[in-house]
Amino acid sequence: MSTPTKTFMQHLFQQRHAGLIERDLTTLLHSVATACKAIANHLKNGDLGDAMGALESENVQGETQKKLDVIANDIFLERCQYSGVLAGMVSEEMEDIHQIPKNLPKGRYVILFDPLDGSSNIDVDVSVGSIFSIFELPEVPEKLTIEDVLRKGVEQVAAGYAIYGPSTMLVLSTGHGVNAFTFDGSIGEFRQTHEDLKIPADTSEIAINASRRRHWDESLRNYVDDSFAGEAGTRGRDFNMRWIASMVAEVHRIMMRGGIFIYPVDDKNRAEGGKLRLLYEASPMGFLVEQAGGAASTGTERILEVDPTGLHQRVGVVLGSANEVACALKVS
Ligand code: AHG
Ligand code: MN
Ligand code: MN
C-alpha cells in the first residue's frame, strides 16, 4: 500500500516536533488554512451564490470593494481571532489595526493579510488568492500599536498564500524552505503535493502590465524592449509575456516554473510609492520567493529590508528567478 500524502497539519506537527516552529504558530496556521478553505467554498459557487459583484463601499485605499473582498476579510477575522495566539490583525480591507476582542484570549503573534488578491478577476472566473504574513512579538501587548506591526520583512516567522484556481492550493514557508499543499475535497484537508520548492535561476517568461509602458522609467523600458527584441536583440533569445492581474497567480506560476514579475514604481503611481502594498503583498511574497531561492526587490532595495512607515504603504516589486531579477535591476 502506498503511503498517503501528508496533510497540512501533519506537516506542521513534524515541523513542531523538529523544533522548527512553536506550538502557537501551528495553531495560527491551522486557523489560516481553515479560513482559506471557507473562502474557497464561497468562491466555488460563483454566480449561483450571492457573493459576486461590487459593493457601494470603498476600502482605505479608495478602491471599490467587491462583496467577496468583505466576505473574505470577515472569514479571516472570524477564523483567526479565536485562535488565542494573536495580538491583533492587519488587513488590506481595514484602515486600522484589528484588536482582538476583550472576551477572547490573546497571544504574541500578528497576522497581516490581503484576504482576496486579484479581486478584479472574480467576476471573470480567473484565479484569485489570499496572502498572509506573520510576525511574533516578544510579549503579549495590552493593545497592539502601529509601531508593533511596522516590522521589516526579514523578521517574518511565516508567510504564505492560498490560490483559488482550478484546484485550491496553500503555499507556505516558516523560514525552512517552501512547501505546497493541494486541497483534497474528499477529506476536507490540504495535502502536501510539493516539497522544498525551488525557483529556477533563469527564465524566459516576463510578467508586467505593458499598458503602463508610457509611464515607466527609461531603464525599465530598455530592459523590456531588449527582452522582447528576440534573437536579433542584445539578449539573443525569445521571451514570452504573461499578465494575469492577480499577484498570487503570477507568483504561483513563478514558484512552479520560474519567471519574473514586475509591478514598478512609475510616473503614474510614484506619489503613492507604487501599486502593491508592502506589508501584506510584497513582503510575504518576497519572503516566499527568497525561501525558494529567488530574488525580490523594490527596484532599489531588497523588499525584506524595507523599513515600513505605514500599514498600507506601497512599494515597487521586481521578483522571481534570481538571474532575471539581477538582469532587470542592472538595466533599470
Ligand atoms: P487586490 O485585488 O488585492 O487589490 O490586488 C490587485 C493587485 C495584484 O494582485 C495585481 O498584480 C495588480 O493589482 C494588478 O494591477 P493592474 O490592474 O494594474 O494590472
Ligand atoms: Mn492584492
Ligand atoms: Mn485584496
Side-chain angles (χ1 to χ4, degrees), residues 43-156:
L43 290 167
K44 81 175 189 321
N45 291 326
D47 279 314
L48 295 173
D50 186 29
M52 306 300 272
L55 292 169
E56 303 274 292
S57 56
E58 287 186 348
N59 66 12
V60 57
Q61 0 248 338
E63 299 158 341
T64 306
Q65 286 180 307
K66 301 272 186 183
K67 278 189 202 169
L68 273 164
D69 283 322
V70 175
I71 291 170
N73 190 59
D74 289 348
I75 289 173
F76 255 90
L77 294 183
E78 210 247 323
R79 298 289 167 167
C80 296
Q81 70 182 1
Y82 284 90
S83 64
V85 301
L86 279 175
M89 305 169 77
V90 171
S91 164
E92 179 190 359
E93 304 302 333
M94 298 183 295
E95 183 162 6
D96 299 316
I97 294 173
H98 175 81
Q99 303 289 343
I100 303 302
K102 291 231 172 332
N103 59 326
L104 296 176
K106 289 201 294 190
R108 291 188 294 120
Y109 287 94
V110 178
I111 186 165
L112 306 96
F113 60 100
D114 176 355
L116 204 59
D117 174 69
S119 48
S120 72
N121 278 325
I122 298 168
D123 294 330
V124 292
D125 212 12
V126 168
S127 295
V128 291
S130 303
I131 312 172
F132 59 91
S133 162
I134 297 173
F135 291 95
E136 187 184 2
L137 301 176
E139 54 196 41
V140 183
E142 188 56 38
K143 184 173 184 238
L144 191 64
T145 63
I146 293 199
E147 292 67 45
D148 288 331
V149 301
L150 295 184
R151 313 277 290 276
K152 286 186 180 182
V154 281
E155 294 181 49
Q156 291 171 100

Side-chain angles (χ1 to χ4, degrees), residues 15 24 39 55 72 78-79 102 108 128 143 165 185 193 205 207 209 215-216 224 229 241 249 263 292 308 316:
Q15 284 210 327
D24 282 0
I39 293 168
L55 292 169
E78 210 247 323
R79 298 289 167 167
K102 291 231 172 332
R108 291 188 294 120
V128 291
K143 184 173 184 238
T193 43
E205 253 174 7
N209 182 346
H215 307 301
W216 294 344
V224 173
M241 190 186 260
Y263 210 117

Side-chain angles (χ1 to χ4, degrees), residues 130-328:
S130 303
I131 312 172
F132 59 91
S133 162
I134 297 173
F135 291 95
E136 187 184 2
L137 301 176
E139 54 196 41
V140 183
E142 188 56 38
K143 184 173 184 238
L144 191 64
T145 63
I146 293 199
E147 292 67 45
D148 288 331
V149 301
L150 295 184
R151 313 277 290 276
K152 286 186 180 182
V154 281
E155 294 181 49
Q156 291 171 100
V157 293
Y161 62 82
I163 180 166
Y164 313 111
S167 59
T168 293
M169 291 185 69
L170 193 54
V171 178
L172 173 75
S173 177
T174 58
H176 308 281
V178 181
N179 294 288
F181 305 82
T182 303
F183 183 64
D184 178 348
S186 67
I187 57 165
E189 293 229 54
F190 286 100
R191 291 170 63 176
Q192 185 157 21
T193 43
H194 302 75
E195 195 174 350
D196 200 17
L197 283 170
K198 289 292 171 220
I199 298 171
D202 294 298
T203 182
S204 296
E205 253 174 7
I206 299 175
I208 189 164
N209 182 346
S211 70
R212 300 177 69 92
R213 186 180 187 282
R214 68 192 182 284
H215 307 301
W216 294 344
D217 292 349
E218 193 188 344
S219 53
L220 178 62
R221 274 205 295 267
N222 289 340
Y223 161 72
V224 173
D225 290 351
D226 283 354
S227 303
F228 293 134
E231 281 179 25
T234 51
R235 304 197 68 186
R237 62 192 176 97
D238 289 338
F239 283 79
N240 202 353
M241 190 186 260
R242 288 284 184 277
W243 189 250
I244 304 172
S246 287
M247 187 195 201
V248 164
E250 318 277 7
V251 170
H252 190 64
R253 184 185 61 251
I254 291 169
M255 281 289 173
M256 292 295 137
R257 65 181 191 209
I260 186 170
F261 168 84
I262 307 176
Y263 210 117
V265 176
D266 62 26
D267 282 346
K268 209 171 172 200
N269 65 29
R270 202 174 307 277
E272 293 86 50
K275 158 99 184 196
L276 296 169
R277 279 55 57 106
L278 173 63
L279 292 181
Y280 42 80
E281 291 179 320
S283 189
M285 290 311 203
F287 185 81
L288 286 162
V289 165
E290 284 199 6
Q291 283 289 323
S297 167
T298 63
T300 53
E301 66 179 311
R302 186 181 169 210
I303 286 173
L304 299 188
E305 295 285 359
V306 177
D307 214 348
T309 53
L311 289 184
H312 301 286
Q313 175 181 354
R314 297 174 191 260
V315 289
V317 173
V318 182
L319 61 75
S321 294
N323 291 344
E324 192 61 26
V325 170
C327 179

